[in-house]
């Protein structure tokens, strides 16, 4: 079985793709990854991947970004053609397209090769924050996705809520849910030394609608709890504003940690006491997805404070590993923090349930569902 895994970045920077590579390798799949050299391209990282790789040039036309609409379109067509050619040259049995931008060249390659095509939708691309600025483009891409998805042999997505959406929106069979959880080897043993105090951590990219502003605004509500520390680890465009806002708080209980290497993120999270997976439902993608942080914290053995979106409710109702806050306000967030801080029985129960979740929902189990289906195609 020969598979071509397609992602339109420098491969290593997409954690879901890295996990795919690892699992395909365990099953002895003849795998080639096709990607693109972006600004984060690191040849050392690529060399470490246990598969063949092909990276095309992102800016092979007009020397980079252009304001001209025509040149932008020509660059996009150049990108699609270069990736399509790279896939076709591999002659795979199965093409695994990661997200909508990779789906288009993958579909064109499928038409030439007459092979199988898997569309792995990491998010609801046509209704996310990025496309808020480009409504016409979003409508065009939704029409493209609607057409191509009917020609895919299988669609995969990351949550039950997203699967229900796609099935209803595009009138297709319900996509296979392969949750974007962590691998078994990433689960942290329960022997990690903790940071001083009772630390509540939010890690990842500093972007709006991910709970960082909410945490800073909560500082003042914790004046009577000097043992509670709020912490952030990551980087991103919101960092300067967050630091300025934290400095203005009268209660200095907010700390910033430098970003962790992706491979160390979970082990470093285990040094805290509680994880924050607050995702404001500002777009359909945020509302119907599931926060990767939720599974990272569970693997670190942390109870989780999470926002009230369908997949969070579903998982917490099943496992009871944290607190779902009904409103994304500093008051509600603070109540959840104090409750876990004061109620040791609740904290210990949530911690044990988080560890159980990470044992029962892990990448090896989730991805095996896809591997079994792909093998059945080859044996048909």
């Amino acid at each position: 079985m020969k598979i071509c895994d397609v992602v339109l970045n420098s491969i290593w920077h997409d954690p879901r793709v890295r996990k795919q590579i690892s699992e395909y390798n365990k099953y002895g799949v003849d795998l080639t990854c096709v990607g693109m050299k972006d600004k984060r391209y690191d040849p050392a990282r690529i060399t470490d991947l246990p598969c063949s790789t092909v990276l095309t040039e992102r800016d092979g036309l007009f020397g980079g970004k252009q304001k001209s609409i025509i040149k932008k379109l020509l660059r996009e067509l150049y990108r699609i053609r270069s990736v399509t050619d790279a896939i076709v040259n591999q002659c795979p049995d199965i093409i695994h397209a990661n997200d909508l931008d990779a789906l288009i060249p993958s579909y064109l390659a499928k038409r030439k090769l007459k092979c199988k095509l898997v569309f792995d939708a990491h998010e609801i691309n046509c209704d996310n924050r990025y496309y808020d600025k480009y409504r016409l483009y979003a409508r065009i891409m939704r029409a493209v996705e609607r057409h191509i998805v009917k020609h895919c042999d299988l669609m995969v997505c990351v949550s039950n809520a997203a699967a229900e959406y796609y099935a209803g929106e595009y009138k297709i069979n319900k996509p296979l849910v392969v949750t974007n959880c962590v691998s078994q080897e990433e689960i942290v043993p329960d022997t990690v030394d903790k940071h001083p105090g009772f630390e509540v951590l939010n890690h990842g990219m500093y972007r709006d609608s991910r709970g960082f502003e909410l945490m800073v605004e909560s500082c003042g509500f914790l004046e009577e709890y000097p043992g509670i520390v709020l912490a952030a680890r990551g980087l991103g465009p919101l960092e300067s504003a967050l630091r300025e806002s934290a400095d203005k708080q009268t209660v200095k209980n907010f700390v910033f940690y430098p970003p962790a290497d992706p491979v160390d993120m979970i082990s470093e999270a285990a040094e805290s006491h509680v994880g924050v997976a607050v995702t404001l439902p500002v777009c359909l993608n945020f509302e119907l997805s599931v926060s990767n942080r939720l599974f990272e914290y569970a693997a670190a053995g942390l109870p989780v404070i999470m926002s009230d979106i369908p997949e969070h409710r579903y998982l917490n109702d099943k496992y009871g590993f944290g607190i779902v806050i009904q409103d994304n306000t500093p008051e509600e967030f603070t109540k959840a923090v104090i409750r876990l801080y004061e109620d040791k029985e609740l904290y210990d129960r949530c911690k044990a349930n988080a560890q159980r979740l990470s044992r029962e929902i892990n990448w090896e189990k989730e991805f095996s569902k896809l591997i079994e289906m792909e093998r059945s195609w080859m044996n048909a």
Side-chain angles (χ1 to χ4, degrees):
M1 181 166 67
K2 185 172 184 179
I3 295 179
C4 189
D5 210 354
V6 186
V7 57
L8 297 199
N9 61 31
S10 291
I11 300 175
W12 193 89
H13 295 284
D14 190 316
R16 186 171 173 91
V17 173
R18 289 204 313 273
K19 289 183 289 189
Q20 290 168 12
I21 293 171
S22 175
E23 209 60 19
Y24 276 135
N25 186 55
K26 290 177 185 177
Y27 281 86
V29 171
D30 182 0
L31 179 68
T32 298
C33 265
V34 172
M36 301 195 75
K37 291 183 180 179
D38 59 19
K39 61 184 179 181
R40 298 184 294 172
Y41 169 64
D42 183 347
R45 297 287 197 186
I46 300 302
T47 303
D48 288 341
L49 294 173
C51 67
S52 301
T53 58
V54 178
L55 283 97
T56 64
E57 296 287 345
R58 181 175 291 275
D59 295 322
L61 200 63
F62 305 126
K65 293 183 178 180
Q66 298 289 325
K67 293 183 178 180
S68 165
I69 296 298
I70 293 177
K71 287 187 175 181
K72 283 179 180 291
L73 177 60
L74 289 174
R75 285 184 66 240
E76 182 69 10
L77 293 174
Y78 172 89
R79 178 181 64 83
I80 291 172
R81 179 177 177 180
S82 65
V83 175
T84 302
D85 290 344
I87 299 169
V88 170
N89 289 340
Q90 299 305 312
C91 295
D93 301 307
I94 300 170
I95 303 171
H96 187 133
N98 292 280
D99 271 330
L100 180 56
D101 54 356
L103 179 62
I104 297 171
S106 297
Y107 169 64
L108 295 175
K110 169 190 167 66
R111 293 184 60 180
K112 289 185 178 182
L113 297 169
K114 310 301 181 185
C115 63
K116 298 287 187 180
L117 173 59
V118 175
F119 173 31
D120 190 343
H122 299 192
E123 57 184 36
I124 299 175
N125 293 97
C126 295
D127 197 329
N128 63 22
R129 295 299 300 278
Y130 173 77
Y131 284 138
D132 283 350
K133 301 177 182 178
Y134 309 100
R135 296 302 178 94
L136 176 59
Y137 183 64
R139 287 199 293 270
I140 293 171
M141 293 305 291
R142 181 177 283 107
V144 170
E145 184 176 57
R146 184 187 302 274
H147 170 74
I148 295 179
V149 76
K150 297 181 186 299
H151 297 275
C152 293
D153 297 278
L154 177 68
M155 183 174 182
V156 176
C157 63
V158 300
S159 74
N160 293 283
E164 295 286 354
Y165 163 78
Y166 278 118
E169 180 72 12
Y170 293 156
K171 304 298 186 291
I172 59 174
N173 292 331
K174 185 178 177 180
L176 177 68
V177 177
V178 177
T179 305
N180 201 21
C181 49
V182 306
S183 63
Q184 289 178 316
E185 62 187 22
E186 293 178 287
I187 298 174
V188 179
D190 195 18
T191 55
V192 177
D193 292 334
K194 298 289 188 178
H195 290 153
F198 185 82
E199 187 171 87
V200 181
L201 173 72
N202 192 351
H203 71 202
M205 290 295 294
Y206 293 144
R207 298 186 185 278
D208 61 358
S209 304
R210 297 188 181 184
F212 291 105
E213 306 101 318
L214 177 67
M215 290 177 67
V216 173
E217 293 169 6
S218 300
C219 289
F221 293 92
L222 295 169
E223 187 172 0
E224 297 179 7
Y225 298 88
I228 296 177
V229 178
L230 305 180
R233 176 181 288 114
L235 73 169
L238 200 64
E239 182 172 359
S240 295
L242 285 173
R243 287 182 178 274
E244 289 178 11
S245 182
D247 287 341
K248 293 177 182 178
Q249 299 296 322
T250 55
V251 180
K252 304 300 181 184
N253 58 350
F254 202 101
V255 298
F256 289 89
Y257 291 115
D261 188 292
V263 298
D264 298 323
M265 184 171 289
I266 295 174
S267 61
E268 293 196 17
E271 298 172 356
S272 299
H273 298 80
V274 175
V276 178
V278 171
T279 303
L280 277 61
V282 294
C283 61
L284 197 61
N285 180 53
F286 280 16
E287 181 178 351
L288 300 183
S289 186
V290 57
S291 175
N292 296 344
R293 292 169 294 170
L294 183 151
F295 297 104
E296 292 162 355
Y297 299 139
L302 306 185
V304 182
I305 297 172
M306 66 204 92
S307 49
D308 187 13
I309 57 178
E311 204 72 8
H312 290 181
R313 288 198 305 273
Y314 165 76
L315 289 168
N316 198 55
D317 286 347
K318 184 174 182 179
Y319 288 96
F321 60 97
I323 296 175
V324 175
I325 57 174
Q326 299 303 309
D327 296 306
N328 297 309
T329 63
E331 293 85 354
E332 288 298 310
F333 176 79
T334 304
K335 288 178 184 177
V337 172
I338 294 173
R339 188 178 170 198
L340 287 170
Y341 176 67
E342 292 185 331
D343 190 339
K344 189 176 188 308
E345 182 179 343
L346 171 65
Y347 178 89
D348 289 341
R349 184 170 66 250
C350 289
K351 177 179 178 179
N353 288 339
Q355 293 167 327
R356 180 167 66 92
L357 182 153
S358 64
R359 290 193 299 270
E360 294 185 9
I361 302 181
N362 57 66
W363 182 252
E364 288 81 358
K365 290 182 179 179
E366 289 293 295
F367 202 67
S368 68
K369 297 183 287 188
L370 175 60
I371 289 283
E372 289 171 6
M373 187 164 293
E374 291 173 334
R375 280 180 161 177
S376 70
W377 293 341
M378 297 299 100
N379 296 328

